[in-house]
Amino acid sequence: MKELALSCRSIHKRFNGTVALNGFDLDVRDAVLVALLGPSGCGKTTALRVIAGFERPDSGEVAVRERVVAARGTWVPPEKRRVGMVFQDWVLFPHLDVYDNVAFGLGSQGRRERVGEVLDMMRLSGLERRMPHELSGGQQQRVALARALAPSPEVVLLDEPFSNLDAALKAEVRMEVRAILHEAKATAIFVTHDQEEALAMADEMAVMDAGRILQVGTPHEVYQSPVDLRVASMVGDANLVPGDVTAGVATTALGRFPAADVPDGPIRMMVRPEEISIAPAADGIARIVDTEFYGHDQMVRARLDDGNLLEVRLLGPHPDLHVDATVDVTITGRPRFFAAASIH
Ligand code: ATP
């Protein structure tokens, strides 16, 4: 088991009347890239700022590599925490060249070697004397990352690092940053509200809402086995079909399904759009109301007799599955059940 690079325990933080963090817990192991994913205003930036030392928590504890840096009676200032931060705009010191930007946080001993090493890793060698305005956007980002990694921080924090990039550049920069962080064996947390970005980039996802973490796991774990309805609907597309469980059997508009270990009562059955197949049938249980074609696949929406909409993801062309076609519905995946009471 890898060692813990960072741990946050039960952190609370309020701003006047607003609760920003409400029992925030997070452990990050060495050399893991964590996506902190959650809706706007759920406290992601505040969590990063508390970890970095730009905000004091009202209560709770932050430890960087077992050294407590924030707790009741303990306060280590940001520059002494061994935590690096990269801001949304990847801002550089405009009056310093590449070399001096990267050398900024380093002591004099071994500075030249370390800057050379980091620039080499970022494929920036030869650009040492360029000023920031003489660099491309991608190069500026790599310099900002080099500056954050140069002092070998225990953890690097990136606040919405890709949100200002256009779609074409975004995919490329994401994968490049991911490769660099892995190559440097850096431990990093990046904030995002884009679930696709979190799924594609992260080794682990920490899904957050209302000031606390709801679930931490690999993208596969979180997508396959969300802990509750909030996570199910925040990560990936999910059909949440209403139903009732009695004695281990769920009854829904899509039929009856075994639901062993699920307590009796109203439920939502989660089925991902790719876990459903549909086929034209004159007496089918749903009618197609629209289709969205994405090239590599398409999303079909079908309305069930009870009025609920079902999203179905289909690969390949299906000329017979057009709007107004009546269809039969088959669940091909494993449905998951959540108590309907957990909806809010
Ligand atoms: P976004 O994705 O929109 O950036 P976020 O998840 O990063 O949001 P935070 O910026 O951490 O959320 O904000 C959490 C809550 O705390 C919000 O309700 C916000 O309005 C509030 N908040 C954050 N900083 C301050 C502040 N300095 N003063 C007052 N309220 C604040």
Side-chain angles (χ1 to χ4, degrees):
M1 192 74 176
K2 290 177 179 173
E3 278 185 40
L4 279 188
L6 172 78
S7 89
C8 300
R9 284 280 157 277
S10 194
I11 295 174
H12 289 79
K13 177 72 189 174
R14 265 172 188 273
F15 296 102
N16 307 318
T18 308
V19 177
L21 295 178
N22 187 21
F24 180 88
D25 280 305
L26 182 64
D27 281 340
V28 181
R29 288 171 300 121
D30 263 341
V32 171
L33 176 54
V34 176
L36 188 56
L37 173 75
S40 179
C42 75
K44 302 181 296 295
T45 299
T46 305
L48 284 202
R49 292 175 57 80
V50 165
I51 294 166
F54 302 134
E55 292 295 350
R56 279 176 193 260
D58 301 333
S59 61
E61 187 179 294
V62 181
V64 176
R65 179 84 47 210
E66 292 178 8
R67 172 177 170 235
V68 175
V69 295
R72 186 190 284 268
T74 304
W75 179 254
V76 176
E79 66 279 8
K80 300 236 167 73
R81 288 194 176 190
R82 302 186 50 81
V83 172
M85 184 109 182
V86 177
F87 295 95
Q88 195 170 27
D89 41 13
W90 302 78
V91 70
L92 296 173
F93 302 119
H95 57 292
L96 297 181
D97 65 16
V98 167
Y99 180 95
D100 288 336
N101 259 285
V102 176
F104 186 79
L106 300 177
S108 54
Q109 209 185 355
R111 173 159 41 189
R112 184 164 296 279
E113 293 73 22
R114 180 62 183 154
V115 175
E117 199 176 283
V118 177
L119 290 180
D120 204 32
M121 187 168 75
M122 307 286 175
R123 294 180 300 284
L124 289 165
S125 303
L127 302 180
E128 287 81 351
R129 293 300 159 212
R130 291 263 191 101
M131 298 304 284
H133 72 269
E134 297 171 321
L135 299 170
S136 72
Q139 287 167 338
Q140 289 181 27
Q141 284 172 334
R142 296 215 297 280
V143 175
L145 197 53
R147 188 179 56 187
L149 292 175
S152 306
E154 300 289 357
V155 186
V156 184
L157 309 175
L158 302 105
D159 193 0
E160 302 250 6
F162 312 107
S163 59
N164 288 344
L165 304 175
D166 67 55
L169 196 59
K170 200 181 270 193
E172 191 185 320
V173 174
R174 274 181 192 164
M175 287 307 139
E176 183 165 36
V177 167
R178 179 174 186 245
I180 288 169
L181 291 170
H182 279 155
E183 191 184 331
K185 297 196 169 45
T187 308
I189 304 176
F190 72 98
V191 158
T192 181
H193 55 253
D194 177 345
Q195 40 134 333
E196 265 181 40
E197 184 166 295
L199 287 166
M201 273 199 70
D203 301 319
E204 286 184 10
M205 299 169 70
V207 185
M208 188 173 176
D209 194 24
R212 62 168 67 202
I213 299 287
L214 304 176
Q215 183 170 11
V216 180
T218 64
H220 280 271
E221 285 163 357
V222 175
Y223 186 79
Q224 295 295 342
S225 308
V227 289
D228 64 17
L229 280 171
R230 279 178 296 174
V231 178
S233 45
M234 255 192 261
V235 179
D237 298 312
N239 292 293
L240 300 170
V241 183
D244 266 291
V245 168
T246 310
V249 177
T251 306
T252 74
L254 296 178
R256 287 155 66 82
F257 299 87
D261 303 331
V262 180
D264 286 3
I267 48 102
R268 289 285 187 276
M269 179 173 84
M270 182 192 88
V271 190
R272 299 289 188 193
E274 67 277 17
E275 298 173 330
I276 301 176
S277 84
I278 52 176
D283 57 350
I285 62 166
R287 192 175 55 80
I288 296 179
V289 290
D290 89 79
T291 68
E292 236 173 286
F293 184 59
Y294 302 128
H296 41 70
D297 60 6
Q298 60 183 310
M299 192 72 103
V300 174
R301 284 180 200 83
R303 194 175 295 286
L304 293 164
D305 288 342
D306 67 2
N308 278 299
L309 270 185
L310 209 55
E311 288 191 323
V312 184
R313 197 182 296 283
L314 300 174
L315 288 175
H318 293 273
D320 47 348
L321 295 176
H322 50 77
V323 171
D324 275 341
T326 322
V327 292
D328 254 345
V329 178
T330 313
I331 306 296
T332 55
R334 173 180 62 91
R336 277 72 101 199
F337 301 97
F338 301 104
S342 69
I343 300 171
H344 67 221

